[in-house]
PDB file of all heavy atoms in Angstrom:
ATOM      1  N   ILE A 146     -16.151  -2.146 -40.402  1.00 81.00           N
ATOM      2  CA  ILE A 146     -16.710  -1.421 -39.252  1.00 81.00           C
ATOM      3  C   ILE A 146     -17.233  -0.073 -39.707  1.00 81.00           C
ATOM      4  O   ILE A 146     -16.517   0.721 -40.331  1.00 81.00           O
ATOM      5  CB  ILE A 146     -15.642  -1.249 -38.146  1.00 81.00           C
ATOM      6  CG1 ILE A 146     -15.221  -2.627 -37.619  1.00 81.00           C
ATOM      7  CG2 ILE A 146     -16.166  -0.392 -36.995  1.00 81.00           C
ATOM      8  CD1 ILE A 146     -14.128  -2.589 -36.598  1.00 81.00           C
ATOM      9  N   HIS A 147     -18.454   0.179 -39.369  1.00 75.00           N
ATOM     10  CA  HIS A 147     -19.137   1.397 -39.823  1.00 75.00           C
ATOM     11  C   HIS A 147     -18.467   2.646 -39.230  1.00 75.00           C
ATOM     12  O   HIS A 147     -18.231   2.728 -38.034  1.00 75.00           O
ATOM     13  CB  HIS A 147     -20.608   1.358 -39.394  1.00 75.00           C
ATOM     14  CG  HIS A 147     -21.381   2.585 -39.803  1.00 75.00           C
ATOM     15  ND1 HIS A 147     -21.693   2.851 -41.118  1.00 75.00           N
ATOM     16  CD2 HIS A 147     -21.876   3.628 -39.054  1.00 75.00           C
ATOM     17  CE1 HIS A 147     -22.364   3.990 -41.182  1.00 75.00           C
ATOM     18  NE2 HIS A 147     -22.488   4.477 -39.930  1.00 75.00           N
ATOM     19  N   GLY A 148     -18.129   3.586 -40.099  1.00 71.00           N
ATOM     20  CA  GLY A 148     -17.570   4.863 -39.661  1.00 71.00           C
ATOM     21  C   GLY A 148     -16.055   4.917 -39.686  1.00 71.00           C
ATOM     22  O   GLY A 148     -15.489   6.013 -39.656  1.00 71.00           O
ATOM     23  N   GLU A 149     -15.397   3.774 -39.744  1.00 66.00           N
ATOM     24  CA  GLU A 149     -13.931   3.784 -39.701  1.00 66.00           C
ATOM     25  C   GLU A 149     -13.318   4.265 -41.010  1.00 66.00           C
ATOM     26  O   GLU A 149     -12.181   4.711 -41.033  1.00 66.00           O
ATOM     27  CB  GLU A 149     -13.395   2.387 -39.370  1.00 66.00           C
ATOM     28  CG  GLU A 149     -13.401   2.042 -37.902  1.00 66.00           C
ATOM     29  CD  GLU A 149     -12.544   2.978 -37.069  1.00 66.00           C
ATOM     30  OE1 GLU A 149     -11.423   3.306 -37.480  1.00 66.00           O
ATOM     31  OE2 GLU A 149     -13.019   3.413 -36.009  1.00 66.00           O
ATOM     32  N   ASN A 150     -14.066   4.160 -42.123  1.00 68.00           N
ATOM     33  CA  ASN A 150     -13.507   4.596 -43.406  1.00 68.00           C
ATOM     34  C   ASN A 150     -13.394   6.118 -43.505  1.00 68.00           C
ATOM     35  O   ASN A 150     -12.810   6.648 -44.436  1.00 68.00           O
ATOM     36  CB  ASN A 150     -14.344   4.053 -44.568  1.00 68.00           C
ATOM     37  CG  ASN A 150     -15.819   4.438 -44.448  1.00 68.00           C
ATOM     38  OD1 ASN A 150     -16.228   5.080 -43.483  1.00 68.00           O
ATOM     39  ND2 ASN A 150     -16.605   4.034 -45.435  1.00 68.00           N
ATOM     40  N   LYS A 151     -13.957   6.827 -42.503  1.00 72.00           N
ATOM     41  CA  LYS A 151     -13.836   8.285 -42.481  1.00 72.00           C
ATOM     42  C   LYS A 151     -12.481   8.725 -41.926  1.00 72.00           C
ATOM     43  O   LYS A 151     -12.083   9.865 -42.065  1.00 72.00           O
ATOM     44  CB  LYS A 151     -14.954   8.890 -41.639  1.00 72.00           C
ATOM     45  CG  LYS A 151     -16.355   8.622 -42.194  1.00 72.00           C
ATOM     46  CD  LYS A 151     -17.421   9.197 -41.285  1.00 72.00           C
ATOM     47  CE  LYS A 151     -18.821   8.864 -41.813  1.00 72.00           C
ATOM     48  NZ  LYS A 151     -19.880   9.383 -40.915  1.00 72.00           N
ATOM     49  N   VAL A 152     -11.779   7.799 -41.235  1.00 72.00           N
ATOM     50  CA  VAL A 152     -10.471   8.092 -40.653  1.00 72.00           C
ATOM     51  C   VAL A 152      -9.392   7.805 -41.690  1.00 72.00           C
ATOM     52  O   VAL A 152      -9.502   6.866 -42.483  1.00 72.00           O
ATOM     53  CB  VAL A 152     -10.232   7.230 -39.392  1.00 72.00           C
ATOM     54  CG1 VAL A 152      -8.885   7.540 -38.761  1.00 72.00           C
ATOM     55  CG2 VAL A 152     -11.350   7.453 -38.384  1.00 72.00           C
ATOM     56  N   GLY A 153      -8.335   8.623 -41.678  1.00 74.00           N
ATOM     57  CA  GLY A 153      -7.232   8.424 -42.607  1.00 74.00           C
ATOM     58  C   GLY A 153      -6.610   7.042 -42.454  1.00 74.00           C
ATOM     59  O   GLY A 153      -6.428   6.558 -41.330  1.00 74.00           O
ATOM     60  N   TYR A 154      -6.255   6.419 -43.601  1.00 79.00           N
ATOM     61  CA  TYR A 154      -5.716   5.057 -43.571  1.00 79.00           C
ATOM     62  C   TYR A 154      -4.386   5.009 -42.809  1.00 79.00           C
ATOM     63  O   TYR A 154      -4.151   4.089 -42.007  1.00 79.00           O
ATOM     64  CB  TYR A 154      -5.528   4.545 -45.004  1.00 79.00           C
ATOM     65  CG  TYR A 154      -5.016   3.131 -45.083  1.00 79.00           C
ATOM     66  CD1 TYR A 154      -5.889   2.048 -44.938  1.00 79.00           C
ATOM     67  CD2 TYR A 154      -3.663   2.864 -45.280  1.00 79.00           C
ATOM     68  CE1 TYR A 154      -5.423   0.741 -44.988  1.00 79.00           C
ATOM     69  CE2 TYR A 154      -3.191   1.569 -45.338  1.00 79.00           C
ATOM     70  CZ  TYR A 154      -4.072   0.513 -45.201  1.00 79.00           C
ATOM     71  OH  TYR A 154      -3.603  -0.780 -45.245  1.00 79.00           O
ATOM     72  N   ALA A 155      -3.507   5.995 -43.048  1.00 79.00           N
ATOM     73  CA  ALA A 155      -2.186   5.985 -42.399  1.00 79.00           C
ATOM     74  C   ALA A 155      -2.326   6.097 -40.883  1.00 79.00           C
ATOM     75  O   ALA A 155      -1.627   5.402 -40.122  1.00 79.00           O
ATOM     76  CB  ALA A 155      -1.336   7.133 -42.941  1.00 79.00           C
ATOM     77  N   GLN A 156      -3.222   6.978 -40.428  1.00 79.00           N
ATOM     78  CA  GLN A 156      -3.411   7.141 -38.981  1.00 79.00           C
ATOM     79  C   GLN A 156      -3.941   5.856 -38.350  1.00 79.00           C
ATOM     80  O   GLN A 156      -3.462   5.408 -37.309  1.00 79.00           O
ATOM     81  CB  GLN A 156      -4.393   8.288 -38.720  1.00 79.00           C
ATOM     82  CG  GLN A 156      -3.886   9.628 -39.236  1.00 79.00           C
ATOM     83  CD  GLN A 156      -5.007  10.649 -39.351  1.00 79.00           C
ATOM     84  OE1 GLN A 156      -6.163  10.297 -39.529  1.00 79.00           O
ATOM     85  NE2 GLN A 156      -4.642  11.922 -39.267  1.00 79.00           N
ATOM     86  N   CYS A 157      -4.932   5.253 -38.993  1.00 85.00           N
ATOM     87  CA  CYS A 157      -5.522   4.016 -38.483  1.00 85.00           C
ATOM     88  C   CYS A 157      -4.498   2.884 -38.490  1.00 85.00           C
ATOM     89  O   CYS A 157      -4.419   2.098 -37.545  1.00 85.00           O
ATOM     90  CB  CYS A 157      -6.739   3.656 -39.325  1.00 85.00           C
ATOM     91  SG  CYS A 157      -7.784   2.370 -38.608  1.00 85.00           S
ATOM     92  N   LEU A 158      -3.687   2.814 -39.556  1.00 85.00           N
ATOM     93  CA  LEU A 158      -2.682   1.762 -39.670  1.00 85.00           C
ATOM     94  C   LEU A 158      -1.660   1.845 -38.550  1.00 85.00           C
ATOM     95  O   LEU A 158      -1.290   0.822 -37.950  1.00 85.00           O
ATOM     96  CB  LEU A 158      -1.983   1.861 -41.031  1.00 85.00           C
ATOM     97  CG  LEU A 158      -0.732   0.982 -41.209  1.00 85.00           C
ATOM     98  CD1 LEU A 158      -1.100  -0.497 -41.101  1.00 85.00           C
ATOM     99  CD2 LEU A 158      -0.038   1.276 -42.539  1.00 85.00           C
ATOM    100  N   VAL A 159      -1.176   3.052 -38.233  1.00 83.00           N
ATOM    101  CA  VAL A 159      -0.150   3.193 -37.203  1.00 83.00           C
ATOM    102  C   VAL A 159      -0.685   2.733 -35.849  1.00 83.00           C
ATOM    103  O   VAL A 159      -0.014   1.991 -35.116  1.00 83.00           O
ATOM    104  CB  VAL A 159       0.352   4.649 -37.132  1.00 83.00           C
ATOM    105  CG1 VAL A 159       1.294   4.830 -35.948  1.00 83.00           C
ATOM    106  CG2 VAL A 159       1.067   5.035 -38.417  1.00 83.00           C
ATOM    107  N   PHE A 160      -1.921   3.129 -35.505  1.00 85.00           N
ATOM    108  CA  PHE A 160      -2.480   2.734 -34.211  1.00 85.00           C
ATOM    109  C   PHE A 160      -2.708   1.224 -34.136  1.00 85.00           C
ATOM    110  O   PHE A 160      -2.356   0.584 -33.137  1.00 85.00           O
ATOM    111  CB  PHE A 160      -3.791   3.477 -33.941  1.00 85.00           C
ATOM    112  CG  PHE A 160      -3.592   4.804 -33.281  1.00 85.00           C
ATOM    113  CD1 PHE A 160      -3.555   5.967 -34.036  1.00 85.00           C
ATOM    114  CD2 PHE A 160      -3.413   4.900 -31.915  1.00 85.00           C
ATOM    115  CE1 PHE A 160      -3.356   7.197 -33.435  1.00 85.00           C
ATOM    116  CE2 PHE A 160      -3.212   6.121 -31.302  1.00 85.00           C
ATOM    117  CZ  PHE A 160      -3.182   7.281 -32.065  1.00 85.00           C
ATOM    118  N   ILE A 161      -3.268   0.643 -35.170  1.00 88.00           N
ATOM    119  CA  ILE A 161      -3.509  -0.806 -35.163  1.00 88.00           C
ATOM    120  C   ILE A 161      -2.184  -1.561 -35.233  1.00 88.00           C
ATOM    121  O   ILE A 161      -1.994  -2.584 -34.552  1.00 88.00           O
ATOM    122  CB  ILE A 161      -4.441  -1.211 -36.330  1.00 88.00           C
ATOM    123  CG1 ILE A 161      -5.833  -0.627 -36.095  1.00 88.00           C
ATOM    124  CG2 ILE A 161      -4.519  -2.731 -36.465  1.00 88.00           C
ATOM    125  CD1 ILE A 161      -6.820  -0.913 -37.207  1.00 88.00           C
ATOM    126  N   GLY A 162      -1.234  -1.086 -36.041  1.00 88.00           N
ATOM    127  CA  GLY A 162       0.070  -1.734 -36.139  1.00 88.00           C
ATOM    128  C   GLY A 162       0.809  -1.744 -34.813  1.00 88.00           C
ATOM    129  O   GLY A 162       1.390  -2.761 -34.413  1.00 88.00           O
ATOM    130  N   VAL A 163       0.775  -0.605 -34.093  1.00 87.00           N
ATOM    131  CA  VAL A 163       1.417  -0.547 -32.776  1.00 87.00           C
ATOM    132  C   VAL A 163       0.718  -1.497 -31.811  1.00 87.00           C
ATOM    133  O   VAL A 163       1.366  -2.215 -31.035  1.00 87.00           O
ATOM    134  CB  VAL A 163       1.399   0.898 -32.231  1.00 87.00           C
ATOM    135  CG1 VAL A 163       1.870   0.933 -30.783  1.00 87.00           C
ATOM    136  CG2 VAL A 163       2.279   1.797 -33.080  1.00 87.00           C
ATOM    137  N   ALA A 164      -0.629  -1.529 -31.839  1.00 87.00           N
ATOM    138  CA  ALA A 164      -1.380  -2.407 -30.942  1.00 87.00           C
ATOM    139  C   ALA A 164      -1.042  -3.880 -31.186  1.00 87.00           C
ATOM    140  O   ALA A 164      -0.985  -4.680 -30.242  1.00 87.00           O
ATOM    141  CB  ALA A 164      -2.880  -2.179 -31.122  1.00 87.00           C
ATOM    142  N   LEU A 165      -0.798  -4.258 -32.451  1.00 89.00           N
ATOM    143  CA  LEU A 165      -0.498  -5.653 -32.767  1.00 89.00           C
ATOM    144  C   LEU A 165       0.954  -6.026 -32.447  1.00 89.00           C
ATOM    145  O   LEU A 165       1.239  -7.171 -32.097  1.00 89.00           O
ATOM    146  CB  LEU A 165      -0.772  -5.917 -34.255  1.00 89.00           C
ATOM    147  CG  LEU A 165      -2.226  -5.853 -34.730  1.00 89.00           C
ATOM    148  CD1 LEU A 165      -2.308  -6.056 -36.241  1.00 89.00           C
ATOM    149  CD2 LEU A 165      -3.087  -6.890 -34.027  1.00 89.00           C
TER     150      LEU A 165
END
Side-chain angles (χ1 to χ4, degrees):
I146 297 177
H147 179 70
E149 278 299 316
N150 55 358
K151 297 178 183 178
V152 181
Y154 182 81
Q156 298 163 333
C157 193
L158 170 63
V159 173
F160 273 96
I161 293 178
V163 171
L165 293 177

